[in-house]
Amino acid sequence: MTVIDAVSVQRRWSMLGCSLLAALTTTCVVSGVAYLIPALHADAGLTLTEASTLAAIPTVGLMVAIIGWGMLLDRYGERRILTISLSISLAGASAAAAAAFAGASYLVLGACLLIGGVGSGAANGASGRIVVGWFPADQRGTAMGIRQMAQPLGIAVCALTMPATAAAHGIGAALAIPAVVTAAGLIAVLIGVVDPPRHPTRVVDSHAPAPKRNPYRESSFLARVHTVSVLLVVPQSMLWTFVPTWLIVAHHWAPTTAGVLITVTQVIGALGRIVAGRWSDAWASRMRPVRLIAIGAAAAMAALAFADWIDSPWAPALMAVATVISVADNGLAFTAIAEYAGPEWSGRGLAVQNTGQYLATAVTTPVFGALIAAVGFPLTFAITALTPLLAAPLVPDDPPVVEEPVA
C-alpha cells in the first residue's frame, strides 16, 4: 500500500476543497481591488492610470515575497506556513478596509494592500504540493483543475460583490470582502489541511532531477513552462482587471449587471479548468492542451478586438469566450511543474511560476490602463492577442513520466 492509498478518498478530496478555499483568498486579496477601479476613477477622482496602479500594489507585495514562501513551504510544510501566510494576509486586508473606512490617504491604503499581498503568497504553492502529494498521477490534472478554480471563482466573488458594495456602501465596505474570505480560508486550513508525505511517488524520466538536485539545471523544461505561462497570463489578467471598466464606463452597463455577467463567465471558466485537467489526464499530457489553449486565446482576443472596434452587440459574448479560454491553462502548467520539480523543489518551482505571472500582471496593469486611455479598448485587446500567439510555439514537449509508488 502506498502512502497515497493510506489516506481515504473522502479526506483527500476534503483537503482539496480546503486548499481551494485557501488559494481563493489570494485571488480576492490580490485581484479584488481591480473591481474598485471604476469607483476609484469615477467617485474618488483618481485617473485610470492611478487607480490601476493602486490595484497593482497587492500584486507587487505578492511578487516580492512568493519565492520566500515557496522556500519555507519546501522546508517546513504546508499547514504551518499556510497558517502564518494567511494570518498576515488577513491582517493586511482588514487594515485596508479599516483605512478606507477612516478616510486615510491612499498612501496608507496602499501600504495596507501591500501587506495583504505579501502575506498571500503561500496558498498557490502549498495547494499545488497538496494535489501532487495526495493524488495519483492519473487524477492530478483533474484535481489541479478543481484547485485552480480558485482564481476564476475568486474573481467571480469579487466581481459580483465589490463593485455593487462600493456603489452602495463605499470603498471600505467593499474592501472588507477579501478580509472575510481570507478569514474563512484560514479556518479551512486549520481544520482540514494535512501535510503530504515528502516522497509519496518518484517521477522517473530521462530528464528528471534526482532528489535534492536543482531541476532547473537538468533541462529547459521548467524555464519554458514559466515563459509560456507568463505570456498566457497577460490576456487573462487584462480581462480580469479591465472588463468591469469596459462594461461600466465604456459601455455604460450598471455595476450589478456587469458583475453578474463577469460572475457567470468566471464560473464557466472555473469549470473549464476542470475540463482542461481531465483532458490532460485522458491524453496523459500537460503540454499539448496548453499549446491548443494558447492558439485559442489568441484567436478569441483578436475576435473580441474586432467586435469591439465595429461596436458589435456580440462583443460581450466574445469577451466571455476569451475569458474562459484564457484561464484554462493554469492548472495544466501547475501540475506539470509540481510533477517535474519533485517534493524538494515544487514549492520553489510553483513560487517562480507565480512570481513570473504576478510580475507580468503588476507591470502590464498600469501599462494597459495608460494604453486604454490613449488608444481605446479595441486596439488594446488586439495588442493583448499577441502574447498567446507568441506563447504557442514556445510550449515544450512533455517529459516522459513513469510513476514508481513508494510503499
Side-chain angles (χ1 to χ4, degrees):
M1 183 177 67
T2 68
V3 289
I4 291 178
D5 295 330
V7 174
S8 70
V9 173
Q10 293 83 357
R11 185 63 187 274
R12 192 179 304 155
W13 289 99
S14 71
M15 278 193 286
L16 179 63
C18 291
S19 68
L20 186 154
L21 184 54
L24 190 147
T25 68
T26 298
T27 301
C28 290
V29 170
V30 172
S31 302
V33 185
Y35 291 87
L36 301 180
I37 289 177
L40 292 167
H41 177 56
D43 301 333
L46 275 66
T47 67
L48 190 58
T49 302
E50 291 170 340
S52 301
T53 301
L54 187 65
I57 287 176
T59 302
V60 173
L62 172 63
M63 180 189 66
V64 301
I66 195 168
I67 291 180
W69 286 121
M71 295 173 68
L72 291 172
L73 285 166
D74 286 337
R75 181 164 184 176
Y76 296 108
E78 284 70 21
R79 180 183 171 86
R80 182 189 309 177
I81 299 305
L82 272 177
T83 300
I84 297 170
S85 171
L86 291 181
S87 297
I88 295 172
S89 186
L90 177 59
S94 301
F101 273 122
S105 70
Y106 283 98
L107 182 62
V108 173
L109 178 58
C112 296
L113 293 172
L114 184 68
I115 293 171
V118 167
S120 65
N124 281 342
S127 53
R129 289 167 58 89
I130 288 168
V131 168
V132 174
W134 286 124
F135 286 84
D138 61 353
Q139 296 179 13
R140 288 177 190 157
T142 304
M144 189 68 85
I146 293 172
R147 210 293 297 167
Q148 288 293 98
M149 290 173 65
Q151 284 183 308
L153 288 181
I155 294 296
V157 169
C158 294
L160 188 63
T161 60
M162 293 184 73
T165 301
H169 305 290
I171 292 172
L175 286 173
I177 293 170
V180 172
V181 173
T182 304
L186 178 58
I187 293 170
V189 168
L190 293 172
I191 292 175
V193 170
V194 177
D195 288 347
R198 306 300 288 180
H199 298 281
T201 59
R202 183 166 61 91
V203 176
V204 179
D205 62 70
S206 58
H207 302 290
K212 297 186 179 180
R213 292 179 63 187
N214 187 339
Y216 289 92
R217 297 177 180 175
E218 303 294 327
S219 77
S220 63
F221 178 77
L222 291 179
R224 289 181 65 178
V225 173
H226 295 326
T227 301
V228 167
S229 297
V230 165
L231 291 170
L232 291 180
V233 85
V234 172
Q236 181 184 130
S237 64
M238 189 274 177
L239 290 169
W240 283 356
T241 302
F242 291 104
V243 160
T245 306
W246 179 63
L247 292 172
I248 296 168
V249 177
H251 290 273
H252 312 292
W253 283 41
T256 302
T257 307
V260 169
L261 175 61
I262 294 168
T263 299
V264 171
T265 300
Q266 294 298 332
V267 169
I268 296 172
L271 296 174
R273 288 189 170 188
I274 301 177
V275 172
R278 185 68 195 117
W279 178 15
S280 77
D281 286 340
W283 278 17
S285 170
R286 312 301 181 200
M287 293 295 102
R288 282 190 293 159
V290 170
R291 187 176 293 112
L292 294 178
I293 289 167
I295 295 169
M301 288 301 301
L304 172 59
F306 179 74
D308 197 35
W309 178 55
I310 65 173
D311 200 23
S312 169
W314 289 99
L318 287 170
M319 177 279 297
V321 172
T323 300
V324 170
I325 294 175
S326 71
V327 303
D329 66 284
N330 286 45
L332 307 182
F334 263 60
T335 306
I337 291 166
E339 287 178 331
Y340 187 85
E344 283 81 18
W345 272 87
S346 60
R348 280 164 284 186
L350 294 173
V352 171
Q353 169 81 353
N354 278 310
T355 299
Q357 290 187 308
Y358 283 117
L359 176 60
T361 298
V363 169
T364 59
T365 294
V367 170
F368 280 133
L371 194 60
I372 290 165
V375 301
F377 276 100
L379 185 55
T380 304
F381 287 144
I383 292 170
T384 307
L386 296 176
T387 59
L389 192 63
L390 292 171
L394 299 178
V395 177
D397 293 331
D398 292 282
V401 175
V402 178
E403 288 290 327
E404 289 188 358
V406 178

